[in-house]
Structure formats: C-alpha cells, structure tokens
C-alpha cells in the first residue's frame, strides 16, 4: 500500500508518501538456540519453523524542483519502522530468541535526479511514458539496521 500526495507550486513540487509493507507468513529451516550462550546451535537443533517477517511503515517527505520540462532534482527525508519478526515451531524450544533485535528503525536523506516523459506523453508529443533517475541515499540514524550509503538507478515504465 502506497499513498502519495503532491502539491505543485510553479517549478517546486512538495511530495509526501505513506507506505505499509505487509509480509506473508512462511516457513524456513533454522537452527534454534538452546539458550543465551548458544551462539551457533548444532545440526540437532535444526527445525522447520513458522516465520512472520515484520511489517514495515514508511513515511517520506520532500520536494522536487523542475529544472526544465523533462528534468527535475529533489531532496527527501525517509523514515522506516519495521516490526520485529515472529517465529514458532512444534518442538517447544525458545523461538522468541530468533526474534531478538529483528525490529528496526531507519532515518535517511535522499537526493534525486530524474528525467520524465510523462508530461510529454499526456500532451501527446512523446510515444512512451517513462521515468529514468538516480537516487543517492544516506542513512544517518538507524537502530538494528546498517548506517549505509546507497546509490540507485531506476527506470519506471507506465502501461
């Protein structure tokens, strides 16, 4: 689920979005520890366990500046909160230990450059609507997640 809101002011666009990522339960083969000092459980502790990976809530806000008709640059703040994972099994072991430190929170700033033909397409001057861009992201605060720098190139096609 992703909800976007944009407000246009001449060449500046204020963007906000809210997203929720719901995960589907599955099963996975894991070694379940026998206690707090068991960092590497042996093969006899291997079991197929039920897993519910934590759902995530994403909030983003920022702005885009339209340099020229197809090009824009932007700056955004991104917040993500991930719920802890849940594990269960049939052997009565302490499955809660598998969930330790699986919830996370990240705060990230992003800078973007984008080329878009969507306006040209709506004016019927370009045949294919697409967006091509680059995103630089810097996680400046994180709990149970990596402080990292990311670089992404994307292509969005609309059909």
């Amino acid at each position: 689920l992703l909800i976007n809101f944009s407000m246009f002011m001449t060449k500046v666009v204020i963007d906000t979005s809210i997203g929720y990522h719901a995960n589907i339960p599955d099963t996975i083969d894991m070694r379940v520890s026998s206690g707090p000092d068991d960092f590497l459980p042996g093969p006899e502790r291997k079991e197929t366990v039920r897993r519910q990976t934590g759902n995530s809530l994403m909030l983003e806000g920022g702005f885009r500046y339209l340099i020229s008709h197809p090009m824009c640059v932007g700056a955004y703040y991104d917040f993500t909160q991930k719920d802890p994972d849940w594990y269960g099994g049939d052997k009565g072991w302490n499955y809660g230990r598998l969930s330790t430190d699986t919830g996370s929170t990240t705060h990230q700033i992003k800078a973007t450059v984008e080329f878009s033909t969507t306006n040209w397409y709506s004016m019927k001057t370009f045949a294919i609507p697409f967006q091509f861009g680059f995103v630089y992201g810097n996680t400046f605060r994180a709990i149970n997640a990596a402080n990292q720098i990311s670089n992404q190139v994307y292509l969005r096609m609309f059909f």
Side-chain angles (χ1 to χ4, degrees):
L1 173 67
L2 182 64
I3 300 170
N4 285 319
F5 172 75
S6 295
M7 184 169 58
F8 296 91
M9 296 180 294
T10 317
K11 289 189 159 229
V12 176
V13 178
I14 298 173
D15 280 332
T16 60
S17 62
I18 298 171
Y20 189 77
H21 187 139
N23 294 306
I24 298 171
D26 64 355
T27 59
I28 186 170
D29 290 337
M30 296 186 78
R31 295 179 184 185
V32 182
S33 70
S34 60
D37 297 330
D38 187 8
F39 296 107
L40 185 60
E44 70 281 356
R45 301 286 296 188
K46 188 173 184 179
E47 179 185 356
T48 300
V49 297
R50 294 180 301 281
R51 172 177 66 176
Q52 170 67 49
T53 306
N55 299 330
S56 298
L57 171 68
M58 291 89 54
L59 305 171
E60 184 176 73
F63 69 92
R64 285 183 287 150
Y65 178 73
L66 306 171
I67 298 171
S68 66
H69 193 54
M71 294 292 297
C72 70
V73 294
Y76 297 90
Y77 165 76
D78 186 276
F79 170 81
T80 302
Q81 175 74 45
K82 180 189 165 289
D83 296 333
D85 299 343
W86 175 89
Y87 295 89
D90 298 322
K91 295 188 178 178
W93 294 338
N94 184 1
Y95 301 100
R97 295 208 34 83
L98 297 172
S99 300
T100 304
D101 294 332
T102 57
S104 66
T105 303
T106 59
H107 299 266
Q108 187 177 62
I109 54 172
K110 296 178 182 178
T112 65
V113 178
E114 183 178 86
F115 176 86
S116 174
T117 65
T118 54
N119 287 340
W120 287 345
Y121 178 77
S122 27
M123 293 185 306
K124 303 204 183 308
T125 58
F126 202 85
I128 302 168
F130 72 89
Q131 296 171 335
F132 179 75
F134 172 76
V135 179
Y136 167 84
N138 187 344
T139 304
F140 63 90
R141 183 162 186 255
I143 299 170
N144 291 334
N147 279 340
Q148 63 185 5
I149 293 175
S150 62
N151 297 286
Q152 299 173 336
V153 175
Y154 64 87
L155 173 65
R156 289 187 189 117
M157 302 289 295
F158 302 95
F159 299 99

